[in-house]
Amino acid sequence: GQGVEQPDNLMSVEGTFARVNCTYSTSGFNGLSWYQQREGHAPVFLSYVVLDGLKDSGHFSTFLSRSNGYSYLLLTELQIKDSASYLCAVRLPNYNVLYFGSGTKLTVEP
Amino acid sequence: DPKIIQKPKYLVAVTGSEKILICEQYLGHNAMYWYRQSAKKPLEFMFSYSYQKLMDNQTASSRFQPQSSKKNHLDLQITALKPDDSATYFCASSQAPGQGGEGNQAPLFGEGTRLSVL
């Protein structure tokens, strides 16, 4: 079966950083995407990675290790408005199908 | 302006009835999808279409039928509604795989239709 695991909750402090972890075990892998979702709203695309290593996109960076089935989303210089759920999704070999984790709710405190 | 329009935003239905959820995208994408998000559960893939043809269906029930009348439309008909069907249904779209850069294929989501079945 497919499995994408994320911690339920994460807390951090404004101005610092937060690392949202994701581990996966899936039948096939065509890349991994991260989305941000606020309560009652659509998931918003943040990043897509398919090669190992760190992809720096400024406020958001994404790391992937395919051999370990592991990814993380790193948010730096946190702002209160970064408080949201962050969803990890593995792109399966099926036609652009995404298999989502349950999401990590990040709370940024002053 | 929203580029993926879903209608209605909220929908209340009685058990056993039938509803159609509307989705239109104005991004010029060739692939469209339906996902479902129930309370306390992950987003769950339902259907994918490319150039108006069904590519993948991971919905066990035939009560869920996608309908594509135009290449930028993918509606979802749900028959014989049950309380367990209560969820937010998200439509998404992307360039078809193989077109453009890797980021262009990441599905972009509409705001969803929140369905409650009583």
Side-chain angles (χ1 to χ4, degrees):
Chain A
Q2 320 289 10
V4 179
E5 301 295 331
Q6 300 181 241
D8 290 339
N9 294 286
L10 181 63
M11 295 182 71
S12 194
V13 177
E14 186 178 19
T16 66
F17 69 94
R19 191 175 79 186
V20 184
N21 292 321
C22 173
T23 58
Y24 64 89
S25 174
T26 55
S27 54
F29 178 85
N30 270 9
L32 186 145
S33 292
W34 285 93
Y35 288 80
Q36 179 193 66
Q37 187 176 27
R38 301 186 187 281
E39 191 72 32
H41 289 277
V44 174
F45 172 72
L46 296 177
S47 177
Y48 172 76
V49 285
V50 65
L51 299 176
D52 287 348
L54 185 66
K55 181 178 177 182
D56 186 354
S57 303
H59 183 50
F60 300 103
S61 297
T62 314
F63 173 81
L64 177 66
S65 171
R66 288 173 296 173
S67 60
N68 292 312
Y70 171 67
S71 175
Y72 68 72
L73 175 71
L74 180 69
L75 297 88
T76 56
E77 297 183 24
L78 284 170
Q79 303 174 49
I80 302 295
K81 68 178 183 178
D82 290 322
S83 297
S85 289
Y86 291 86
L87 313 181
C88 170
V90 171
R91 183 178 166 190
L92 299 177
N94 311 53
Y95 192 88
N96 212 17
V97 171
L98 295 180
Y99 193 87
F100 281 86
S102 296
T104 297
K105 185 174 180 180
L106 172 64
T107 303
V108 180
E109 296 181 324
Chain B
D1 289 337
K3 302 295 188 203
I4 302 177
I5 298 172
Q6 290 191 243
K7 299 177 198 174
K9 189 167 183 177
Y10 301 98
L11 187 56
V12 179
V14 295
T15 297
S17 67
E18 172 183 315
K19 293 293 180 186
I20 296 180
L21 281 55
I22 306 294
C23 178
E24 309 169 88
Q25 56 89 7
Y26 296 94
L27 295 163
H29 288 161
N30 299 312
M32 295 185 72
Y33 316 86
W34 279 101
Y35 282 79
R36 172 171 53 196
Q37 191 171 41
S38 305
K40 309 290 186 184
K41 289 185 180 179
L43 266 168
E44 176 189 16
F45 170 79
M46 300 178 73
F47 299 99
S48 62
Y49 268 66
S50 180
Y51 296 94
Q52 294 185 267
K53 293 187 177 175
L54 178 68
M55 302 304 294
D56 201 342
N57 172 5
Q58 294 192 16
T59 302
S61 173
S62 60
R63 296 186 299 108
F64 296 85
Q65 290 292 330
Q67 300 170 344
S68 181
S69 59
K70 301 179 189 177
K71 77 171 186 179
N72 68 326
H73 281 234
L74 186 65
D75 300 337
L76 181 64
Q77 180 185 39
I78 314 174
T79 57
L81 279 160
K82 303 177 180 180
D84 277 354
D85 297 331
S86 298
T88 300
Y89 290 81
F90 288 102
C91 174
S93 70
S94 74
Q95 294 289 11
Q99 293 186 333
E102 57 186 35
N104 290 340
Q105 297 167 23
L108 305 180
F109 286 80
E111 285 294 321
T113 292
R114 187 170 292 183
L115 172 66
S116 297
V117 183
L118 307 176

